[in-house]
């Protein structure tokens, strides 16, 4: 009976967690549309990250909509300003990679650009968790994200592996992308970032 009760509790907890993830995805989609797509996706992502961060710090009973809405409104301009910088850098790297591959065809330059791309992805992974946890000056968010990624290689590699696994999961179950794609992607990133922050804060 205790084993059955334990199984039922695990099943219930998982269902409750999944329902919250789907709810976060709905909020993310709605507020992304409210922001006309490009200007909505960044603050909506910051809002989802904030909610999930609070789960790890305070438990799963935080008021999801209230925390989401407050973060979205308060960080709309600031998050968009930083996000546009990330977007421009990402487009620049993507264009350079294509030029290098099709026109320059230099192994050294292409390898260097691939390394820069990897560093960019790593900074991007840590950016939102750093943004919602710390109050920093404008460009310090990028620098802090980079240094934390280097200081905590285990968590950084774990993030990359989770993204890879989720990529194949979404290919196998594309419907999952619509119902919980953003929230499921942000969840492990925020979890490992939270671990990295705790370890570094305890040391300092």
């Amino acid at each position: 009976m205790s084993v059955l009760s334990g199984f039922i509790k695990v099943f219930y907890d998982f269902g409750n967690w999944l329902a919250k993830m789907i709810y976060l995805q709905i909020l993310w989609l709605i507020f992304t549309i409210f922001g006309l797509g490009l200007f909505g996706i960044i603050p909506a992502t910051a809002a989802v990250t904030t909610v999930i961060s609070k789960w790890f710090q305070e438990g799963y009973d935080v008021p999801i909509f209230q925390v989401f809405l407050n973060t979205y409104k308060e960080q709309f301009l600031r998050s968009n300003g930083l996000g546009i910088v990330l977007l421009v850098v990402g487009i620049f790297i993507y264009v350079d990679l294509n030029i290098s591959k099709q026109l320059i065809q230099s192994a050294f330059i292409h390898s260097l650009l691939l390394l820069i791309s990897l560093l960019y992805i790593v900074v991007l992974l840590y950016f939102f968790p750093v943004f919602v946890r710390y109050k920093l000056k404008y460009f310090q968010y990028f620098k802090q994200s980079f240094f934390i990624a280097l200081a905590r290689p285990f968590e950084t590699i774990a993030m990359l592996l989770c993204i890879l696994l989720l990529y194949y999961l979404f290919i196998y179950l594309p419907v999952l992308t619509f119902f919980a794609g953003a929230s499921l992607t942000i969840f492990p990133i925020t979890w490992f970032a939270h671990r990295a922050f705790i370890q570094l804060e305890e040391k300092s």
Side-chain angles (χ1 to χ4, degrees):
M1 189 67 179
S2 60
V3 174
L4 181 60
S5 299
F7 175 77
I8 292 172
K9 184 180 184 305
V10 169
F11 187 77
Y12 172 81
D13 288 344
F14 175 76
N16 188 41
W17 174 81
L18 186 59
K20 290 177 185 292
M21 297 296 285
I22 293 172
Y23 181 43
L24 272 179
Q25 176 75 7
I26 292 170
L27 291 176
W28 183 82
L29 286 171
I30 291 172
F31 281 85
T32 294
I33 294 169
F34 280 171
L36 303 177
L38 176 62
F39 297 108
I41 190 170
I42 297 169
T45 302
V48 172
T49 306
T50 300
V51 172
I52 295 175
S53 293
K54 285 188 175 294
W55 285 352
F56 299 141
Q57 297 174 52
E58 303 173 18
Y60 284 85
D61 294 328
V62 297
I64 294 175
F65 182 75
Q66 181 183 338
V67 172
F68 185 101
L69 182 62
N70 289 343
T71 303
Y72 186 89
K73 291 191 298 184
E74 291 171 5
Q75 302 297 344
F76 187 87
L77 293 176
R78 187 174 176 82
S79 63
N80 266 313
L82 291 165
I84 289 170
V85 172
L86 280 173
L87 179 63
V88 170
V89 172
I91 292 172
F92 182 77
I93 293 172
Y94 177 78
V95 170
D96 281 354
L97 275 171
N98 279 281
I99 292 173
S100 171
K101 184 178 180 180
Q102 296 175 15
L103 299 177
I104 300 175
Q105 296 182 346
S106 167
F108 173 76
I109 293 175
H110 199 67
S111 298
L112 182 61
L113 286 171
L114 287 174
L115 177 60
I116 293 171
S117 300
L118 178 61
L119 294 176
Y120 171 79
I121 291 170
V122 165
V123 169
L124 185 62
L125 288 174
Y126 276 96
F127 171 76
F128 285 101
V130 168
F131 178 78
V132 303
R133 188 178 183 92
Y134 301 111
K135 299 296 181 185
L136 304 172
K137 293 181 180 179
Y138 204 76
F139 287 103
Q140 285 184 339
Y141 287 105
F142 306 122
K143 184 173 72 172
Q144 189 76 357
S145 298
F146 177 72
F147 285 146
I148 294 174
L150 293 184
R152 301 298 304 178
F154 171 80
E155 283 81 5
T156 303
I157 293 170
M159 283 183 187
L160 293 170
L161 289 175
C162 283
I163 295 301
L164 184 63
L165 290 172
L166 285 170
Y167 171 75
Y168 286 109
L169 178 63
F170 293 150
I171 289 176
Y172 185 71
L173 293 171
V175 68
L176 195 61
T177 308
F178 177 78
F179 284 105
S183 55
L184 279 177
T185 302
I186 296 168
F187 188 89
I189 291 172
T190 308
W191 162 244
F192 285 111
H194 177 73
R195 282 175 51 92
F197 299 155
I198 294 298
Q199 293 295 324
L200 292 173
E201 287 166 8
E202 287 178 353
K203 286 183 180 179
S204 61

